[in-house]
Amino acid sequence: MASTAEEKFELITRRLDEVLGGDLIKAILAEGKTPKCYWGSAPTGRPHIGYFVPLTKIADFLRADVDVTILLADVHAFLDNLKAPLELVAYRTQYYKKLLLAVFTSLGIPTSKLRFVEGSSYQLSREYNLDNYKLCTIVTEHDAKKAGAEVVKQVESPLLSGLIYPGMQALDEQYLDCDFQFGGVDQRKIFTFAELYLPRLGYRKRAHLMNPMVPGLAGGKMSSSDPNSKIDFLDPPEVVRRKIKSAFCEEGNTTQNGVLAFVKAVLIPISELRIERLQGKTGADAEEGAGAVGEQTPFVLEGAPKGTVFSIFRKEEHGGSLHYSNFDALEADFAAKKVHPKDLKTAVADAIVRLLDPIRQMFEADEEWQKVEKLAYPDPNAKAEKKKKVKVYHPPPPGKGKNTQPAETTAASEDGAHFAAEAAKQEGSS
């Protein structure tokens, strides 16, 4: 698999929403060189299962012998309108790394081939900041704002930090020495911004690869900031099933259907990945699957026809189980109301539970990760512990305190004692 330049390019670009500058990658492959890419994530809210889309795609890059860098964009997280306060960024960066490593392991993707880099390790350097200042002298406010429109949190009074964000992401391509940057289609405006402005600094133009975005469970974009639109990687089975049960999945409606879209963007690609691995089609990545944790079988029922990539269980009295070799056939059946939303939801919930089970087990076995999770995402409803005031005894100054007598009384008693002593002396002498 992927033995020629053409096959490698096909593997690198399959299932993507869009490719900009594909000829740059083809030229590198034609020369027999190893392409280098980076995928970045700003550690803000808790990552949701929509991350399966880019993380699964990274398996294709490794199969095509691509050098992959994972950027933990901690500085970007802080700049994005305080989605992650500075005091939490360090903990969230640790949490993201732990989680990403667990997801890769659950997918059978060898983490030894991945390079993890924190943005602050080079973005605070003199050279990087000088380049950032140079960008500020040539980038217009209009271009900076437009570039970050779909990525940077939009507020009524935009902060300057949000305008700096796109320029830094462009500079990352140079400082991480990549040939192409990989991200969601929501990053497109930042990618075209980088293609325009990096050459103006004297740096070469890079290619850009974009994966599709998974709609949220209630329609619209799946977002870390909207708990009703997403499923977290650490959600237990009962929470997963409850969220899928309440997700928007109208019978016959194939638009803005997060449940159906998840099958296309995540479940079928993972099924195909596992089927190809069983067939020994892992290309340059001979280590794929070696350290995998959890069940690695495709989402296919026993006895399914050859070529099936996704199955839906149904009782015999309801027509028996359904098997699909591609998404288009499933979508057509759903549109024709041959697949009931309840049956689809049950199949998807079962598959997600299987996907998340090994990740949750790794979390429960890792005390350090558990501690980091609490520090990174403290419970906003937790009541602060009231500290009991410890009474400290301070001795009263001389002449003060409970047993101290008034000065006049003390003086009178001292005088009385003196007179009594003198009277006794006189009686003794007479």
Side-chain angles (χ1 to χ4, degrees), residues 243-260:
K243 287 184 177 181
I244 292 296
K245 185 178 180 180
S246 61
F248 176 77
C249 187
E250 183 181 32
E251 187 175 15
N253 188 342
T254 60
T255 61
Q256 290 299 309
N257 186 329
V259 179
L260 196 60

Side-chain angles (χ1 to χ4, degrees), residues 26-71:
K26 287 180 178 179
I28 293 169
L29 293 170
E31 294 175 6
K33 295 180 180 178
T34 298
K36 293 174 284 186
C37 86
Y38 101 77
W39 173 82
S41 182
T44 53
R46 293 174 184 267
H48 51 71
I49 59 173
Y51 278 65
F52 270 123
V53 180
L55 301 185
T56 301
K57 180 60 190 171
I58 286 173
D60 283 341
F61 296 157
L62 296 180
R63 287 179 175 186
D65 198 28
V66 174
D67 282 345
V68 179
T69 295
I70 307 295
L71 173 64

Side-chain angles (χ1 to χ4, degrees), residues 251-252 314 318 322 324 329-330 332-341 343:
E251 187 175 15
R314 288 195 314 188
H318 295 149
L322 299 168
Y324 296 96
L330 169 60
D333 274 4
F334 191 85
K337 299 184 179 181
K338 294 180 181 179
V339 177
H340 193 276
D343 294 327

Side-chain angles (χ1 to χ4, degrees), residues 288-299:
E288 185 185 308
V293 174
E295 192 177 339
Q296 297 296 305
T297 54
F299 303 111

Side-chain angles (χ1 to χ4, degrees), residues 19-340:
V19 175
L20 299 176
D23 288 343
L24 299 174
I25 301 174
K26 287 180 178 179
I28 293 169
L29 293 170
E31 294 175 6
K33 295 180 180 178
T34 298
K36 293 174 284 186
C37 86
Y38 101 77
W39 173 82
S41 182
T44 53
R46 293 174 184 267
H48 51 71
I49 59 173
Y51 278 65
F52 270 123
V53 180
L55 301 185
T56 301
K57 180 60 190 171
I58 286 173
D60 283 341
F61 296 157
L62 296 180
R63 287 179 175 186
D65 198 28
V66 174
D67 282 345
V68 179
T69 295
I70 307 295
L71 173 64
L72 298 168
D74 50 353
V75 177
H76 284 85
F78 174 64
L79 289 176
D80 192 0
N81 284 292
L82 295 179
K83 280 184 181 177
L86 191 59
E87 60 271 18
L88 295 182
V89 168
Y91 293 125
R92 292 185 178 182
T93 301
Q94 294 177 51
Y95 178 84
Y96 265 58
K97 185 174 182 179
K98 287 271 191 183
L99 179 65
L100 294 176
L101 286 169
V103 176
F104 283 130
T105 302
S106 74
L107 292 172
I109 298 172
T111 57
S112 60
K113 292 192 171 186
L114 304 173
R115 179 174 70 119
F116 283 82
V117 177
E118 292 182 18
S120 56
S121 67
Y122 64 89
Q123 290 169 347
L124 303 180
S125 68
R126 179 179 182 275
E127 294 77 15
Y128 187 94
N129 276 283
L130 283 175
D131 274 342
N132 201 10
Y133 296 148
K134 289 177 184 177
L135 265 183
C136 290
T137 66
I138 60 175
V139 175
T140 65
E141 178 188 359
H142 172 270
D143 284 0
K145 190 174 181 180
K146 179 182 176 183
E150 293 187 41
V151 177
V152 179
K153 184 178 181 181
Q154 299 300 299
V155 294
E156 189 174 339
S157 299
L159 300 175
L160 181 60
S161 59
L163 300 178
I164 296 173
Y165 191 111
M168 290 181 62
Q169 187 167 335
L171 286 176
D172 291 339
E173 296 181 357
Q174 174 66 25
Y175 281 80
L176 291 174
D177 190 28
C178 75
D179 298 307
F180 68 88
Q181 184 181 169
F182 171 54
V185 71
D186 61 336
Q187 306 271 334
R188 191 183 195 283
K189 290 178 181 177
I190 289 184
F191 291 165
T192 56
F193 174 94
E195 291 183 2
L196 175 64
Y197 281 103
L198 274 189
R200 295 186 184 184
L201 291 180
Y203 298 135
R204 63 189 172 92
K205 183 179 176 181
R206 269 72 175 188
H208 296 95
L209 278 57
M210 289 161 272
N211 62 257
M213 305 298 292
V214 180
L217 300 179
K221 181 180 176 181
M222 188 175 287
S223 170
S224 295
S225 59
D226 183 1
N228 295 319
S229 76
K230 67 186 180 79
I231 293 174
D232 290 336
F233 279 105
L234 298 180
D235 277 348
E238 62 274 14
V239 174
V240 171
R241 296 187 192 282
R242 174 174 55 79
K243 287 184 177 181
I244 292 296
K245 185 178 180 180
S246 61
F248 176 77
C249 187
E250 183 181 32
E251 187 175 15
N253 188 342
T254 60
T255 61
Q256 290 299 309
N257 186 329
V259 179
L260 196 60
F262 192 79
V263 177
K264 178 182 181 180
V266 177
L267 299 183
I268 288 180
I270 291 178
S271 261
E272 291 176 341
L273 191 78
R274 292 174 174 178
I275 291 169
E276 289 165 354
R277 186 187 302 158
L278 290 171
Q279 296 171 346
K281 299 177 180 179
T282 59
D285 191 5
E287 297 176 30
E288 185 185 308
V293 174
E295 192 177 339
Q296 297 296 305
T297 54
F299 303 111
V300 175
L301 294 172
E302 189 175 348
K306 187 177 180 181
T308 300
V309 293
F310 186 71
S311 295
I312 297 175
F313 173 78
R314 288 195 314 188
K315 293 181 179 179
E316 289 300 325
E317 58 263 35
H318 295 149
S321 296
L322 299 168
H323 309 284
Y324 296 96
S325 59
N326 57 70
F327 176 75
D328 290 343
L330 169 60
E331 185 179 39
D333 274 4
F334 191 85
K337 299 184 179 181
K338 294 180 181 179
V339 177
H340 193 276

Side-chain angles (χ1 to χ4, degrees), residues 418-429:
H418 175 70
F419 290 139
E422 286 298 318
K425 284 182 183 179
Q426 290 178 8
E427 285 181 11
S429 58

